[in-house]
Amino acid sequence: MKRIGLLYLSVFIVATSGLIYELLAGTLASYVLGDSVTQFSTCIGAYLFALGIGAWLSGFVDKSLARMFIEIEFAVALVGGFSAPLLFVCFAKLTMFRVALYGVVLAVGILVGLELPLLMRILRDRLQFKDLVSRVLTFDYIGALAASLAFPLFLVPTLGLVRTSLMFGILNGMVGMWGTWVLDREISGSLLFLRLRGVGVLLLLTIGLIKADSFTTWVEDQLYDQPVVYSATSSYQRIVVTQGGEVFRLFLDGNLQFNSADEYRYHEALVHPAMAAAGQQQRVLVLGGGDGLAVREILKHQAVEHVTLVDLDPAMTQLPDHFPPLGQLNQNALHDPRVNVLNDDAFLWLMRSRSRFDVIIVDFPDPNNLALGKLYTRRFYQMLLRHLNPGGAIAVQATSPLVAPNTYWCIVNTMQAAGWKTLPYQTAVPSFGVWGFVLAKAEPLTPPQNAPTGLRFLNEQTLAALFALPNDSQPRETGVNRLDNQLLVRYYSLDTGGL
């Protein structure tokens, strides 16, 4: 019975590790290729297809079932364990990332698909068929549940993608090793040679686990033009800061968020038109913008009495404390006594809150997945209306009307469908190119005339020029982004070259 218990544990680990490798591949695909819905869907489809191929191939194995099971377990340990490091290297060095991605997914899926049928055939002489099927499938599904919960809640935030991959490779290697004892009477050939190979597999994976931080640093150095001076993995994203000389840049999940050399152009254009268009400026809400740079611009207005910043990730709002140059850049805005920082989901916070504001600044990352796409929906903009005081104004970052025109105009059209009167505008930010925003109020509005004095970029002439759209950035007809369709995520994928 003890041996059967270990074999059931093997089923659990096989199921858990197989799904973990698939989740790792899907996550890396969404980082690199964007559009998490498409990437996860195609990766899961390819993985399930590969499981079927593996199950079919298992029918051709007639002899040495126990040895074949252990050999496959060692192969899963190597291929799955090194899958994340391999894909990171391919991302940094190869242009054909998709080929490597689906190659890894298919290889892992075929190997995992081979494992369970072989294990069931090994157990068939020890249990009645009905008990065998029910118990093996029970442990299989429990393992899948454990993986789906542990991956986002514990593994990625605590270990990161590379360590998670290698750790589960070690678990697979351990299954193979204890299999050489549990199944010793059924293994043909030399046990010593098989165990020595298992030790070699575990040694390689352990070295990889020990060197995981150095490997991640090396890969990130290959990905970015400047040296990485700070990096962290939060529960929500990978945060990387690079620096060359006095200039530093912030990346979230590999996407540039700002360059310290020219971010002022972006943040002045985001904040000051709404501040100038609003009837009052006492109470301001910032959604997103955990770096504090938008808050810095808001605090330049003397009438401001209270700023509420709602950003999901505490690792972002605490970043100025861990990377002091950002605190200097945002002028320690998040420590100003007028500022209240809340780490919460903006969508859920708006649903609960009854507070009203004179100005609302919306500074979310681009809508490249459903979690972000919901923050650009008709429902979200309707909630914003309820939180705005009469005469108040909002400004929304809306991607590039030149590079992502369908995305940009979908945001504008969605805001209009929610009841806003909108004024599209744009500016040039060297690190991003032409960038677009939307100024909006509940009542008809005209472009603001007065810019604050002492700004680095905006004056009265440049403020007026923001609202003069060139011929290549004129309005387009698009659908409306709703919670139940998330058209915007698809527009963004098509605009930016995703699948």
Side-chain angles (χ1 to χ4, degrees):
M1 290 302 295
K2 183 178 180 181
R3 292 190 175 206
I4 293 179
L6 285 173
L7 291 174
Y8 286 149
L9 179 59
S10 299
V11 173
F12 176 82
I13 292 175
V14 166
T16 304
S17 61
L19 186 55
I20 289 293
Y21 299 140
E22 162 56 23
L23 293 171
L24 285 165
T27 301
L28 283 167
S30 65
Y31 282 4
V32 177
L33 304 174
D35 189 359
S36 59
V37 177
T38 300
Q39 305 313 328
F40 267 103
S41 178
T42 54
C43 283
I44 289 172
Y47 180 69
L48 292 175
F49 173 70
L51 287 177
I53 295 176
W56 175 72
L57 290 174
S58 70
F60 294 92
V61 181
D62 295 321
K63 300 178 181 179
S64 303
L65 297 183
R67 174 175 284 275
M68 181 62 70
F69 171 75
I70 293 171
E71 297 275 14
I72 291 171
E73 200 62 43
F74 289 152
V76 171
L78 281 175
V79 176
F82 284 105
S83 61
L86 174 63
L87 289 175
F88 267 117
V89 171
C90 293
F91 176 32
K93 294 293 188 179
L94 299 179
T95 57
M96 300 296 290
F97 176 78
R98 284 186 177 89
V99 174
L101 170 69
Y102 291 106
V104 167
V105 169
L106 290 172
V108 171
I110 289 171
L111 291 170
V112 173
L114 277 163
E115 287 177 302
L116 289 182
L118 291 178
L119 191 55
M120 291 178 70
R121 290 166 63 185
I122 292 169
L123 287 167
R124 67 185 173 184
D125 295 331
R126 308 184 187 199
L127 294 170
Q128 292 186 7
F129 181 74
K130 65 175 183 177
D131 294 330
L132 171 64
V133 173
S134 64
R135 293 178 187 179
V136 168
L137 291 181
T138 296
F139 280 97
D140 184 28
Y141 295 144
I142 291 174
L145 174 63
S148 64
L149 294 175
F151 183 79
L153 299 178
F154 170 74
L155 295 173
V156 173
T158 305
L159 299 178
L161 299 178
V162 172
R163 285 184 180 275
T164 296
S165 176
L166 291 163
M167 187 188 77
F168 275 86
I170 290 174
L171 288 177
N172 282 125
M174 291 174 62
V175 168
M177 283 297 290
W178 76 50
T180 64
W181 275 273
V182 174
L183 302 173
D184 57 349
R185 287 173 290 186
E186 302 173 43
I187 297 174
S188 60
S190 171
L191 275 174
L192 177 61
F193 184 62
L194 193 59
R195 287 169 180 166
L196 286 175
R197 272 190 290 163
V199 170
V201 168
L202 289 172
L203 183 61
L204 284 174
L205 290 164
T206 302
I207 292 172
L209 189 64
I210 293 171
K211 296 293 185 179
D213 287 341
S214 299
F215 171 80
T216 302
T217 300
W218 176 81
V219 170
E220 288 179 337
D221 285 340
Q222 305 304 306
L223 291 174
Y224 302 108
D225 295 335
Q226 298 173 337
V228 175
V229 294
Y230 178 86
S231 62
T233 300
S234 75
S235 299
Y236 307 101
Q237 56 201 344
R238 177 69 175 171
I239 302 169
V240 172
V241 181
T242 67
Q243 186 166 6
E246 298 298 319
V247 176
F248 64 90
R249 297 188 289 179
L250 172 69
F251 296 83
L252 299 181
D253 290 340
N255 299 308
L256 178 64
Q257 301 303 302
F258 70 78
N259 182 330
S260 64
D262 57 21
E263 57 77 22
Y264 66 92
R265 294 176 69 97
Y266 171 92
H267 289 100
E268 287 185 12
L270 172 67
V271 169
H272 296 296
M275 299 294 287
Q280 302 289 329
Q281 300 174 335
Q282 281 83 357
R283 294 179 58 81
V284 182
L285 171 65
V286 181
L287 300 176
D291 51 41
L293 297 171
V295 175
R296 176 198 66 197
E297 297 301 318
I298 291 166
L299 295 177
K300 292 177 181 179
H301 294 261
Q302 294 183 353
V304 172
E305 297 176 357
H306 184 81
V307 179
T308 298
L309 170 67
V310 181
D311 190 282
L312 180 63
D313 194 350
M316 268 306 305
T317 55
Q318 295 167 10
L319 182 58
D321 298 327
H322 299 294
F323 184 67
L326 177 57
Q328 297 171 11
L329 187 66
N330 70 22
Q331 298 174 7
N332 294 312
L334 299 186
H335 293 294
D336 190 287
R338 293 169 289 176
V339 177
N340 181 32
V341 176
L342 302 174
N343 294 121
D344 204 345
D345 183 296
F347 195 99
L348 299 178
W349 184 85
L350 285 177
M351 292 180 66
R352 297 191 304 265
S353 175
R354 297 181 179 274
S355 301
R356 298 177 71 91
F357 301 89
D358 302 309
V359 180
I360 300 176
I361 304 297
V362 182
D363 190 18
F364 296 130
D366 292 347
N368 61 5
N369 60 59
L370 294 182
L372 290 169
K374 73 176 183 180
L375 304 175
Y376 292 82
T377 56
R378 181 174 180 268
R379 172 62 177 157
F380 183 80
Y381 294 132
Q382 286 174 328
M383 290 193 293
L384 286 180
L385 267 173
R386 298 201 300 267
H387 289 271
L388 196 66
N389 286 325
I394 75 168
V396 177
Q397 95 78 11
T399 76
S400 171
L402 185 62
V403 176
N406 294 302
T407 306
Y408 179 80
W409 290 107
C410 180
I411 294 171
V412 175
N413 295 335
T414 300
M415 293 180 69
Q416 292 173 351
W420 291 96
K421 308 299 181 184
T422 61
L423 276 179
Y425 66 102
Q426 65 178 34
T427 191
V429 181
S431 294
F432 294 96
V434 175
W435 209 255
F437 308 86
V438 185
L439 177 65
K441 300 182 72 170
E443 59 272 355
L445 71 165
T446 57
Q449 301 294 318
N450 299 316
T453 59
L455 300 180
R456 295 180 64 185
F457 170 53
L458 285 182
N459 54 39
E460 291 187 2
Q461 291 74 31
T462 53
L463 177 62
L466 296 180
F467 296 89
L469 299 182
N471 290 338
D472 58 1
S473 299
Q474 291 301 304
R476 294 190 179 200
E477 292 186 8
T478 68
V480 172
N481 191 42
R482 304 175 189 272
L483 282 173
D484 66 343
N485 65 24
Q486 290 276 21
L487 283 176
L488 188 65
V489 176
R490 187 60 178 165
Y491 282 138
Y492 184 82
S493 177
L494 293 172
D495 281 338
T496 56
L499 284 177

